[in-house]
């Protein structure tokens, strides 16, 4: 069972049935009472009754707050509505908020928990591959603005993460593939058993029960002790500087997060190889060609023709990972050998975008 350590304690990532959530709340020292449940219409239709029945059977009074599905719900307007609906139930600072859903619900519900009454206990109940391997782990919460993705948010560690493998069976193929993009990212960053497993497995969808916990363990190990991205945690942004720009420029919801990250990882691999060679490279040499082959198994979408390189480069200027020297890129010198690159010439960035456009 992976465990994440942070400044004020630690929490576990449980791989077990959703109905065990009330027991985990008790294990965390909470007594039955009001329980806020933030979910979306799709997930709520499938699993809200299962969770609510389990909570009631243990003496809790669940109060559901249901939002529309999709990236559009990570907005200031929806966040305000969630906060108002939660406050209407009359919570105290001991009232838990359970975020039941994928990355959007986890980020939105987590941010509500971080801010309501200056902080409520949070339980992450991820229901997508992406959320189970990545977004529910590490305490990052937030919402989008018109100026970029996740630019308003807070670090708020959950009491626990409870990832039920059974809920993945109802996911559409596109959502599974989107989540596997983060698993591939973890494999490139960590190498080892996860990388070897993903290279060898002919169909990742048939090995989710094995791949998801392995990928979650990589994320847990990286974020432990680096809650606020002061060190190694920054490596988890592999492909994200490019991917977030693509999401923003295309319009949130046009591509899934995982699809954008898959394109972003291809761009990051090209940038990695060109920085190592001191010039733009084509085709990619080893070991970057082998890593790119793994990413291409995700079937990354084409970058929309309407998005020019100028628009994509401009979208990168809003990235929250900028510092005084400009954008930071995570690059790979080999499998399991990440580093940060700063002061990257714009020509290299444009060449990386050009490479990622070719599918």
């Amino acid at each position: 069972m992976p465990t994440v350590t942070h400044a004020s304690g630690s929490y576990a990532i449980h791989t077990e049935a959703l109905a065990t959530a009330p027991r985990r709340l008790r294990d965390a020292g909470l007594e039955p009472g009001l329980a806020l449940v933030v979910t979306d219409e799709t997930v709520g239709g499938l699993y809200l009754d299962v969770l609510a029945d389990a909570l009631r059977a243990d003496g809790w009074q669940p109060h559901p707050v249901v939002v529309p599905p999709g990236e559009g719900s990570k907005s200031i307007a929806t966040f305000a509505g969630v906060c108002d609906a939660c406050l209407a139930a009359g919570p105290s600072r001991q009232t838990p908020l359970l975020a039941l859903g994928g990355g959007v619900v986890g980020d939105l519900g987590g941010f509500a928990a971080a801010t309501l009454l200056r902080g409520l206990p949070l339980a992450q109940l991820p229901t997508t591959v992406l959320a189970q391997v990545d977004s529910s782990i590490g305490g990052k919460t937030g919402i989008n603005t018109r100026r970029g993705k996740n630019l308003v948010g807070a670090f708020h560690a959950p009491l626990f993460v409870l990832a039920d493998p059974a809920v993945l069976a109802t996911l559409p193929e596109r959502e599974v593939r989107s989540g596997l993009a983060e698993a591939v990212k973890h494999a490139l960053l960590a190498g080892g058993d996860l990388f070897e497993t993903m290279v060898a497995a002919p169909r990742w969808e048939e090995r989710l029960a094995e791949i998801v916990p392995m990928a979650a363990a990589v994320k847990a190990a990286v974020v432990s002790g680096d809650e606020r991205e002061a060190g190694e945690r920054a490596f988890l942004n592999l492909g994200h500087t490019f991917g977030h720009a693509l999401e923003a420029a295309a319009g949130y919801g046009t591509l899934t997060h995982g699809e954008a990250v898959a394109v972003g990882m291809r761009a990051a691999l090209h940038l990695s190889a060109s920085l190592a060679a001191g010039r733009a490279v084509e085709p990619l040499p080893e070991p970057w060609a082998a890593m790119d082959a793994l990413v291409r198994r995700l079937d990354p979408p084409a970058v929309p023709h309407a998005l020019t390189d100028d628009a994509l480069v401009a979208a990168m200027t809003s990235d929250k990972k900028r510092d005084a020297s400009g954008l930071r890129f995570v690059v790979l010198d080999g499998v399991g050998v990440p580093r940060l690159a700063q002061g990257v010439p714009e020509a290299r960035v444009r060449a990386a975008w050009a490479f990622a456009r070719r599918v």
Side-chain angles (χ1 to χ4, degrees):
M1 179 176 61
T3 300
V4 176
T5 59
H6 55 93
S8 55
S10 64
Y11 58 90
I13 303 168
H14 302 283
T15 302
E16 58 190 27
L18 190 60
T20 65
R23 175 161 59 89
R24 295 303 175 189
L25 290 173
R26 285 183 180 269
D27 291 345
L30 297 180
E31 293 298 325
L34 175 66
L36 304 169
V37 181
V38 176
T39 189
D40 68 33
E41 293 163 357
T42 301
V43 174
L46 292 168
Y47 302 114
L48 181 55
D49 286 346
V50 173
L51 177 60
D53 288 347
L55 288 167
R56 291 190 191 97
D58 199 49
W60 294 88
Q61 296 89 52
H63 179 80
V65 177
V66 183
V67 301
E71 194 75 19
S73 283
K74 279 181 60 172
S75 67
I76 292 174
T78 303
F79 171 71
V82 167
C83 289
D84 188 59
C86 288
L87 291 171
S92 73
R93 285 184 175 171
Q94 287 71 50
T95 299
L97 187 152
L98 289 71
L100 173 67
V104 168
V105 165
D107 284 353
L108 175 66
F111 188 36
T115 52
L116 284 165
L117 306 184
R118 296 192 175 93
L120 298 180
L122 170 67
Q124 289 282 7
L125 311 180
T127 60
T128 64
V129 175
L130 187 149
Q132 290 193 3
V133 305
D134 189 74
S135 62
S136 68
I137 305 166
K140 282 186 176 181
T141 72
I143 56 176
N144 306 329
T145 78
R146 63 185 180 87
R147 296 192 179 277
K149 187 176 175 70
N150 297 328
L151 294 181
V152 177
F155 289 92
H156 189 60
L159 297 172
F160 59 85
V161 177
L162 195 160
D164 186 344
V167 303
L168 303 181
T170 56
L171 290 175
E173 181 182 354
R174 185 184 184 191
E175 286 298 321
V176 172
R177 191 168 61 248
S178 177
L180 283 167
E182 295 287 356
V184 168
K185 181 196 74 177
H186 293 167
L188 297 180
L189 289 170
D193 291 344
L194 178 58
F195 181 79
E196 293 173 6
T197 297
M198 298 197 78
V199 168
R203 279 188 52 80
W204 295 333
E205 295 84 353
E206 296 173 357
R207 309 249 328 243
L208 291 179
E210 180 181 4
I211 290 172
V212 168
M214 292 173 70
V218 170
K219 174 74 179 278
V222 172
V223 302
S224 288
D226 188 14
E227 186 177 12
R228 295 182 178 267
E229 206 171 287
E232 284 190 12
R233 183 170 183 165
F235 294 149
L236 292 168
N237 293 315
L238 176 66
H240 283 60
T241 301
F242 290 100
H244 282 171
L246 179 56
E247 283 185 275
Y252 294 122
T254 303
L255 302 174
T256 69
H257 177 66
E259 288 169 343
V261 167
V263 175
M265 282 192 289
R266 296 201 70 220
L269 288 171
H270 185 277
L271 180 62
S272 301
S274 67
L275 290 177
R279 57 180 175 79
V281 292
E282 193 108 0
L284 288 185
E286 295 296 350
W288 300 280
M291 291 188 276
D292 185 53
L294 196 67
V295 176
R296 284 190 285 109
R297 286 180 58 184
L298 295 165
D299 192 22
V303 176
H305 291 298
L307 295 182
T308 65
D309 287 350
D310 286 342
L312 292 167
V313 170
M316 298 173 93
T317 63
S318 293
D319 195 283
K320 63 184 178 302
K321 293 175 285 295
R322 289 178 64 91
D323 60 18
S325 62
L327 284 170
R328 296 182 301 167
F329 293 91
V330 181
V331 295
L332 291 166
D333 292 332
V335 177
V337 191
R339 65 180 174 89
L340 292 178
Q342 294 172 294
V344 175
E346 186 175 309
R348 293 278 191 273
V349 176
R350 289 177 176 271
W353 275 121
F355 174 81
R357 285 182 180 277
R358 295 192 286 278
V359 296

